[in-house]
Amino acid sequence: MAVVAGLTRRPLEQVSGLLRRRFHRTAPAALQVTVREAINQGMDEELERDEKVFLLGEEVAQYDGAYKVSRGLWKKYGDKRIIDTPISEMGFAGIAVGAAMAGLRPICEFMTFNFSMQAIDQVINSAAKTYYMSGGSQPVPIVFRGPNGASAGVAAQHSQCFAAWYGHCPGLKVVSPWSSEDAKGLIKSAIRDNNPVVVLENELMYGVPFELPPEAQSKDFLIPIGKAKIERQGTNVTIVSHSRPVSHCLEAATVLSKEGIECEVINMRTIRPMDIETIEASVMKTNHLVTVEGGWPQFGVGAEICARIMEGPAFNFLDAPVVRVTGADVPMPYAKVLEDNSVPQVKDIIFAIKKTLNI
Amino acid sequence: MRKMLAAVSRVLSGVAQKPASRVLVASRNFANDATFEIKKCDLHRLEEGPPVTTVLTREDGLKYYRMMQTVRRMELKADQLYKQKIIRGFCHLCDGQEACCVGLEAGINPTDHLITAYRAHGFTFTRGLPVRAILAELTGRRGGCAKGKGGSMHMYAKNFYGGNGIVGAQVPLGAGIALACKYNEKDEICLTLYGDGAANQGQIFEAYNMAALWKLPCIFICENNRYGMGTSVERAAASTDYYKRGDFIPGLRVDGMDILCVREATRFAAAYCRSGKGPILMELQTYRYHGHSMSDPGVSYRTREEIQEVRSKSDPIMLLKDRMVNSNLASVEELKEIDVEVRKEIEDAAQFATADPEPPLEELGYHIYCSDPPFEVRGANQWIKFKSIS
């Protein structure tokens, strides 16, 4: 809904320029902020608030970030707090974890999460498991962040979604923001969290503007990790998604609304710990569930939701089996027609919804 | 006269051991300190190295002796408990390498930091944890230093970051701790240890690069005990000059069986780091009597003769003892008394480690997250739930 609103707002502003001179209007309380700007603001605020927070990664300082997410931060905070690293993922991820063990609060950026595979041992074995292995004596307050999942035309080695891989591991928290509000609130919560948090951003969402409500403009605005958000209320079917596919779900919901089908769209926001209660409550209302994700189907986020729904109270309220909409079970191809059909499109979501409603 | 003193000491030692030996030896004149020559270190990209003589005080000598003997007996006790199946899983012992952990500790401050790999029991002790907490962690009891959650390879203490199971992963961690030292501007350094086997891990070279680039106060220390599990250094490394493997990082090769050599080299390296010049590398040439772990008898890839030769010629405890006795810093009897005290301490600790109960099942889910409100953790099926407390 917010994306659609953003698109219609601009022509209006051009017209209202005339109106403003005649009527005294206070500036709109909501602000248009892109996801990129929101992450930037979130990091900036936390860097300012706590001098133990610092950012390291490839190109984060002098280049302003490979995707310009850290623009301006090096200029403001300098070499000590914003550190350019050599291309050494395993090394600098380990350095970041060590710094966190010694009491600092690092933000470790992976240029994309595909490269985090080179460092995954440090994320899982050095970060995630340490508090438990030490019997609660050694916390690791670190944030791993960066773009995750499919982009556009970057092919197989640069398009993998890691939500299921990181979501699998106890000791980690894994969040997946969709909107600017999500991005800002979750990055701030992640930085303040005393646990290792993986923040799965999305490159295609970086440039998308959203309305940032007044409360999200506060320096203490936090979104709790572990709580999903109902983006759109509905009664006929529950759609659960995370990250960019949430946009597609809302589009699908708009289309279906014209046909009299009201979808309840849930934005997971957090992959681990998963807010299954919100999903269950919704399914108990709508009796139908469709999961939508960009990652591969096997052992994915949707598969986990299916398993948990079966184990919980919502199972008896289902009028049809849960349906999953996912990325195609192939390494991401390059040619546009192939790539387009390897990620869930709005038509795929609509088709799945109609299937489960038996329409 | 001597017989009477011996009788007095026997009576008094039943009551309070230390005062008795002090009474006994007060009658002898021991030297306060002595100067010893130590082996010159091989140097890489360094104009000067550590001094070739050092002064050992009687007090320090006794302290080092006791510490090394404690590590030795603790490891042998662990061997015994493992064979009795009271310790399970992995158990990597460091007997033979006592001069390394005790010597390194002697060269740094308690406020400095240290991280090592899985052959970590000695370091856990020298960094301040009591033997009983270490043995109880090995036996998986609630009195263990990690509450039984970690085991042999995952023991932590103040300024001691384990205890790490993945070979080589601790080296970037150590460089990160050094980064924190530099960031905090408190003149602290980090000792980052790894073995001759780990020395071929790529991530170590990544850590060397960043540590040198950013001038991190990190002492990279290769504990070269000649064998990475069953593979000798000649079969694993194109260059076995581990002290040179840091390339642009200056290095020194140290006799790791001589605690005084280790201490002096550590002091030298620590001063180098604290002066802001960046990282430095130390190779400690040492030897382990046990196999790689308790599952490895340690004789399929090396000869019993070799092990025996090291024991008879280079044992670190024997070397220190001989030096002290020959320089009149201590008497044989006095050191024997320390042996007896240490044995008792280890025996008591083993008793505790065997009798202490296992952690309660209710705590299986504890310590997943830090600072979080309690939540539920799934057990083997959906009906089994464990509470998780931070």
Side-chain angles (χ1 to χ4, degrees), chain B residues 196-212:
Chain B
D196 49 277
N200 300 312
Q201 271 266 317
Q203 57 186 316
I204 293 186
F205 295 88
E206 295 187 9
Y208 287 162
N209 181 41
M210 286 181 271

Side-chain angles (χ1 to χ4, degrees), chain B residues 353-364:
Chain B
T354 315
D356 201 41
E358 283 191 293
L361 187 58
E362 296 78 64
E363 292 183 13
L364 184 146

